[in-house]
Amino acid sequence: MYRPEVAAYKCRCAEFILAITPPLPNLPHRDPSICGVPSLVIPRKDAQCVFSMRAERDRKPIRLTLKDGKVERWFLYRCPRCDLAVAYDTADKDAAYTYTLESALLKMDVD
Ligand SMILES: [Zn+2]
């Protein structure tokens, strides 16, 4: 029988942030030649991917200049305890993807 594996991740400060199936290592990396910040891609409109994120999303985006010179808006998601940026998406509404910042999240052991 199919049993989806749910993985949990915490912030660097140990605050619980993300529960997701499939686990992050099974998700694709964003092409590092685009932005240079190691990010994993969470598809928001894929029924195979279910997640819950406990993070506060900034109302105002930051602007990043990509390697090809284009400017991208990042709406950051921050840890509710320590304010560290843990993820972002690039659309104001209805983002197709959310990107997690690889260096921010640590896997939790849950039994
Ligand atoms: Zn934190």
Side-chain angles (χ1 to χ4, degrees):
M1 204 175 106
Y2 178 63
R3 186 170 156 273
E5 192 188 343
V6 178
Y9 296 87
K10 61 187 176 183
C11 174
R12 295 258 155 209
C13 75
E15 184 79 357
F16 166 72
I17 300 289
L18 175 71
I20 186 167
T21 183
L24 291 181
N26 297 15
L27 292 170
H29 284 89
R30 193 173 190 202
D31 182 351
S33 70
I34 297 174
C35 72
V37 181
S39 320
L40 290 158
V41 184
I42 301 177
R44 286 189 163 266
K45 291 169 185 173
D46 179 344
Q48 301 289 313
C49 180
V50 179
F51 70 99
S52 162
M53 188 156 60
R54 268 191 73 243
E56 289 161 11
R57 188 178 188 265
D58 282 356
R59 272 197 227 155
K60 290 198 173 167
I62 58 166
R63 285 172 181 277
L64 252 90
T65 304
L66 305 182
K67 289 187 175 175
D68 64 4
K70 286 185 193 150
V71 174
E72 189 169 81
R73 293 187 308 164
W74 283 17
F75 295 85
L76 291 174
Y77 291 82
R78 295 178 186 277
C79 170
R81 185 201 246 171
C82 75
D83 217 36
L84 181 70
V86 293
Y88 63 94
D89 48 36
T90 58
D92 201 355
K93 285 180 187 160
D94 278 336
Y97 304 101
T98 289
Y99 305 93
T100 66
L101 294 165
E102 274 194 272
S103 57
L105 295 175
L106 302 169
K107 191 159 191 302
M108 292 172 87
D109 293 318
V110 277
D111 292 312

